[in-house]
């Protein structure tokens, strides 16, 4: 594997397993793993991975990967099966009201889960709107709550265990 691929793989591992709130902190963590890069290189890597900083429950921020399919496209080293794992980690509950589904998540996870739902391109779902910990899901006319739950469980497997 090339040095860049090693660096990207390590960066993904750090982001997935830690709440890293600054590039300085990220540089120190990379250095701790024997990877020395400039802040400019790190910034380009974070942009390539399409990371975002999301608010955490305790008032600080952390970098987050948007979803596994984007990371796979950007780096070529992730498995698309990781999407379900990523989305399910933040899931709290799902409730319906008419043609709306309200999905509650851990703080900071809503936009990633909404993105995963949108990327399904499921004909049952008209679209999503995400906040920090809530995703509003507009269902198309005639879609039952049971069918919507089936579709959503493709990326959020814990829905079946409510």
């Amino acid at each position: 594997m090339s040095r860049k691929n090693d660096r990207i793989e390590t960066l993904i591992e750090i982001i997935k397993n830690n709440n890293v709130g600054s590039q300085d902190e990220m540089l120190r963590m990379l250095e701790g793993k024997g990877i020395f890069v400039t802040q400019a290189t790190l910034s380009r890597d974070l942009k390539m991975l399409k990371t975002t900083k999301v608010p955490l429950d305790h008032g600080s921020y952390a970098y987050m990967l948007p979803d596994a399919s984007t990371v796979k496209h950007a780096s070529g080293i992730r498995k698309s099966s990781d999407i379900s794992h990523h989305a399910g980690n933040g899931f709290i509950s799902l409730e319906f009201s008419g043609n709306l589904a309200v999905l509650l998540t851990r703080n900071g996870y809503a936009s990633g889960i909404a993105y995963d739902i949108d990327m399904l391109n499921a004909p049952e779902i008209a679209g999503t709107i995400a906040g920090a910990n809530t995703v509003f899901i507009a269902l198309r006319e005639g879609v039952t709550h049971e069918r919507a739950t089936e579709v959503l469980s493709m990326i959020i497997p814990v829905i079946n265990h409510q």
Side-chain angles (χ1 to χ4, degrees), residues 63-83:
Y63 283 96
M64 187 171 122
L65 297 167
D67 78 359
S69 63
T70 300
V71 175
K72 179 182 178 192
H73 172 72
S75 68
I77 57 177
R78 302 296 292 167
K79 298 176 187 162
S80 60
S81 63
D82 288 345
I83 292 174

Side-chain angles (χ1 to χ4, degrees), residues 110-129:
S111 63
I113 292 174
Y115 181 85
D116 289 347
I117 293 168
D118 291 339
M119 291 301 101
L120 278 176
N121 292 318
E124 296 86 351
I125 297 174
T128 63
I129 299 173

Side-chain angles (χ1 to χ4, degrees), residues 48-161:
M48 181 211 45
L49 290 171
K50 298 182 181 358
T51 60
T52 56
K53 280 179 101 169
V54 297
L56 301 176
D57 290 331
H58 54 283
S60 62
Y61 288 81
Y63 283 96
M64 187 171 122
L65 297 167
D67 78 359
S69 63
T70 300
V71 175
K72 179 182 178 192
H73 172 72
S75 68
I77 57 177
R78 302 296 292 167
K79 298 176 187 162
S80 60
S81 63
D82 288 345
I83 292 174
S84 294
H85 175 71
H86 164 78
N89 280 338
F91 173 78
I92 294 175
S93 67
L94 177 67
E95 185 177 332
F96 292 92
S97 178
N99 278 11
L100 275 182
V102 180
L103 192 145
L104 294 180
T105 72
R106 289 177 42 212
N107 196 28
Y109 282 76
S111 63
I113 292 174
Y115 181 85
D116 289 347
I117 293 168
D118 291 339
M119 291 301 101
L120 278 176
N121 292 318
E124 296 86 351
I125 297 174
T128 63
I129 299 173
N133 67 346
T134 305
V135 180
F136 287 104
I137 304 164
L139 306 177
R140 297 206 188 270
E141 292 295 325
V143 175
T144 66
H145 297 169
E146 293 77 19
R147 178 61 189 148
T149 300
E150 287 175 25
V151 170
L152 294 171
S153 70
M154 288 187 234
I155 62 160
I156 308 168
V158 294
I159 284 178
N160 291 331
H161 304 302

